[in-house]
Amino acid sequence: MSVVIVVGAQWGDEGKGKVVDLFTERADVVVRYGGGANAGHTLVIDGKKLVTHLVPSGVCHPGKSCVLGDGMVIDPLTLLEELAQCQARGLLAHDELLIGLGAHVILPYHKLVDGLREDRGAKQGRAIGTTRRGIGPAYEMKAARRGVRVRDLLRPERLADKIHQNLDDLGPVIEHLGGTRPTEREVQTWIAEAVAAGERLRPYTGDAGRHVANAIARGQHVLFEGAQGCLLDLDHGTYPYVTSSSTIAAGACQSAGIGPTQIDAVVGITKAYATRVGEGPFPSELHGEAGDRLRKAGGEFGATTGRPRRCGWLDLPALRMGVRLSGMQSLALTKLDVLAGMPDVQVCVAYKLDGRELDEPPTDPDDLMRAEPVYTRLPGWGTLPSDAHDITDLPASARAYVETIERMAGVPFCLVSVGPDRSETIRLHDPFA
Ligand code: GDP
Ligand code: IMO
Ligand code: MG
């Protein structure tokens, strides 16, 4: 196996960052393939924490090539901040980062429109609960063939022209949404900032597609890192409560410009329970004290926005859908330790809707809102040993939980994580083997 995709199985924040960091040991190239600074990954290595939004989570392994794929939407100022943060730690030397010239760029007006739409949506009870990082508006401009790309940052005249064109389109929208159309002075400031950012990023830019294809041709190990999760996929997720990119495994091929025949393995990441940030259906959500308990035990607050994540029991219909959408051949289970200390643990094994039992979410969002979870109850377990390195190091009831999920999801686990640190991991199977 030399080309592996890692993808979130549900609504994001499954612990992809930790798992990608672990798998990078065996990779030569790590490619982030979708989304932008809406993502937030927390890496904990020997007790030291690093939070990233744009750079691949393989960043903590010097000597590896970290690529931002053409399918991303990149906020250049956030990337520069992140780059500075990494370089202050001696990470991401010049030849270890490659920014795809075809990736799209997020500019202040994308974030402005995202925020105004959310404010208006909130008043009308129709908010998506986005991260307000400009993701939707940037992908909209891309689809409308008016987007600004990384390559434009390196050509000031073309950049200025495109930004003016964008604001010609968006000015009336901004006003309609209750905002103030940016003045020419503001626009000039944005252009100057973008040009300056482009100059600083220029040494890191290049043909990401070729770079990845060459690595694959040489037989190197390439790891694709998905952001968000399968159920936030624009085409197949819980639309309209989704992000604006292709988060499923297929997105890796699109972003890098490689064919699906090049992919050897797909690994899904699932938490031992479920979380969701923002609005949208979440049948196994726990409200009140039970939800608060999980949120506190799991530290479930967004790494990007700080918002409390909605928490609930593991949702097997949603997990099965993720497995199907991405063709996952194995799963990594994270945060098993968070469920420790409960007398029993529940798992949503199906939904009930109009007298029928469903093993996957219904496709209509209103139906999913009405779907009632069907639970199975399993015995709980006490504190897990953080130095567990073999599945037999876990208490019998924790093992039974893992085996039940494995059986009901129909996919074997390749890894079980029992704490945030790189070391707190039981490795069962190497996806590059
Ligand atoms: P990502 O967006 O999928 O990379 O996930 P996030 O980083 O947003 O959220 C996962 C959080 O859980 C991070 O704070 C991780 O440090 C933490 N984490 C990952 N695996 C484990 C685990 O097995 N146990 C615990 N307690 N925390 C974990
Ligand atoms: P990582 O990579 C969890 C959610 C937002 C919102 C919806 C649309 O850390 O798992 P957007 O800003 O993308 O237009 O918001 O998607 N969302 C995430 N939720 N983890 C993420 O990324 C997310 N990225 C976007 O909360 O509901
Ligand atoms: Mg996250």
Side-chain angles (χ1 to χ4, degrees):
M1 303 287 178
S2 57
V3 183
V4 175
I5 300 175
V6 167
V7 63
Q10 291 119 346
W11 291 284
D13 302 324
E14 297 91 349
K16 299 174 294 291
K18 168 172 173 169
V19 176
V20 168
D21 169 63
L22 285 166
F23 289 172
T24 300
E25 267 172 22
R26 298 267 285 127
D28 301 294
V29 181
V30 189
V31 189
R32 165 82 188 268
Y33 68 78
N38 48 350
H41 310 300
T42 302
L43 312 180
V44 185
I45 298 160
D46 298 331
K48 273 204 213 144
K49 211 185 212 190
L50 177 69
V51 179
T52 63
H53 302 283
L54 288 166
V55 301
S57 302
V59 60
C60 292
H61 293 264
K64 312 281 171 158
S65 168
C66 288
V67 179
L68 305 191
D70 287 342
M72 288 186 68
V73 284
I74 297 171
D75 182 332
L77 301 183
T78 307
L79 180 55
L80 282 168
E81 274 172 31
E82 216 164 283
L83 200 53
Q85 181 197 0
C86 292
Q87 290 181 338
R89 296 182 180 214
L91 304 169
L92 278 189
H94 158 240
D95 60 348
E96 289 170 5
L97 178 68
L98 178 64
I99 306 164
L101 281 163
H104 280 247
V105 171
I106 294 199
L107 291 155
Y109 50 86
H110 296 120
K111 291 191 267 193
L112 177 63
V113 170
D114 196 357
L116 288 170
R117 281 207 189 122
E118 279 296 302
D119 289 342
R120 190 181 166 97
K123 281 187 203 136
Q124 299 172 341
R126 286 191 296 105
I128 304 279
T130 75
T131 59
R132 299 175 180 243
R133 296 297 187 269
I135 307 298
Y139 277 118
E140 278 171 45
M141 298 306 267
K142 169 179 170 168
R145 292 152 296 175
R146 289 176 185 277
V148 174
R149 298 195 289 173
V150 170
R151 60 175 75 257
D152 300 317
L153 290 180
L154 311 180
R155 303 218 181 180
E157 264 181 40
R158 193 165 74 192
L159 177 73
D161 190 42
K162 286 198 163 195
I163 289 179
H164 278 115
Q165 210 185 81
N166 276 192
L167 285 164
D168 218 34
D169 284 351
L170 287 178
V173 175
I174 292 169
E175 277 178 352
H176 174 70
L177 292 171
T180 312
R181 199 190 274 242
T183 61
E184 183 54 28
R185 204 187 160 96
E186 265 176 298
V187 176
Q188 287 303 333
T189 309
W190 291 344
I191 293 172
E193 273 174 5
V195 170
E199 273 318 302
R200 290 175 61 194
L201 293 173
R202 184 189 289 275
Y204 302 95
T205 59
D207 185 341
R210 266 288 172 91
H211 178 75
V212 172
N214 288 343
I216 295 174
R218 282 197 298 271
Q220 288 191 303
H221 285 185
V222 177
L223 183 63
F224 283 101
E225 172 185 354
Q228 291 83 47
C230 289
L231 297 188
L232 289 174
D233 183 82
L234 179 61
D235 292 298
H236 304 284
T238 49
Y239 193 89
Y241 301 102
V242 293
T243 188
S244 299
S245 60
S246 181
T247 61
I248 59 174
C253 294
Q254 274 184 326
S255 177
I258 60 163
T261 49
Q262 306 273 24
I263 307 301
D264 294 309
V266 179
V267 181
I269 317 298
T270 172
K271 257 179 214 179
Y273 50 97
T275 61
R276 175 164 202 164
V277 202
E279 303 302 320
F282 182 6
S284 66
E285 181 169 12
L286 288 168
H287 299 278
E289 220 176 276
D292 290 345
R293 215 179 321 124
L294 259 184
R295 190 173 306 110
K296 194 162 168 231
E300 297 294 355
F301 295 89
T304 298
T305 58
R307 288 179 292 177
R309 295 174 181 154
R310 299 158 66 193
C311 296
W313 296 119
L314 181 66
D315 180 332
L316 279 168
L319 177 58
R320 286 187 200 108
M321 187 167 169
V323 167
R324 172 171 64 79
L325 289 172
S326 283
M328 294 166 196
Q329 296 135 315
S330 64
L331 285 167
L333 181 70
T334 61
K335 305 194 99 162
L336 187 63
D337 54 300
V338 173
L339 296 179
M342 298 188 179
D344 53 31
V345 177
Q346 298 190 54
V347 185
C348 166
V349 293
Y351 300 144
K352 253 203 181 131
L353 183 70
D354 299 330
R356 285 186 306 134
E357 207 164 279
L358 307 177
D359 64 356
E360 270 203 21
T363 48
D364 191 281
D366 291 341
D367 288 342
L368 185 52
M369 289 283 193
R370 291 190 302 116
E372 285 174 42
V374 178
Y375 289 112
T376 282
R377 207 177 273 268
L378 294 162
W381 52 87
T383 310
L384 301 182
S386 62
D387 60 351
H389 289 299
D390 193 281
I391 200 81
T392 55
D393 294 336
L394 298 180
S397 44
R399 270 199 331 261
Y401 184 74
V402 173
E403 282 159 15
T404 304
I405 300 167
E406 201 166 48
R407 184 165 41 77
M408 297 191 101
V411 183
F413 283 116
C414 62
L415 177 156
V416 176
S417 171
V418 294
D421 205 283
R422 199 189 253 179
S423 61
E424 294 170 305
T425 311
I426 299 170
R427 299 175 193 231
L428 301 168
H429 170 72
D430 171 7
F432 284 109

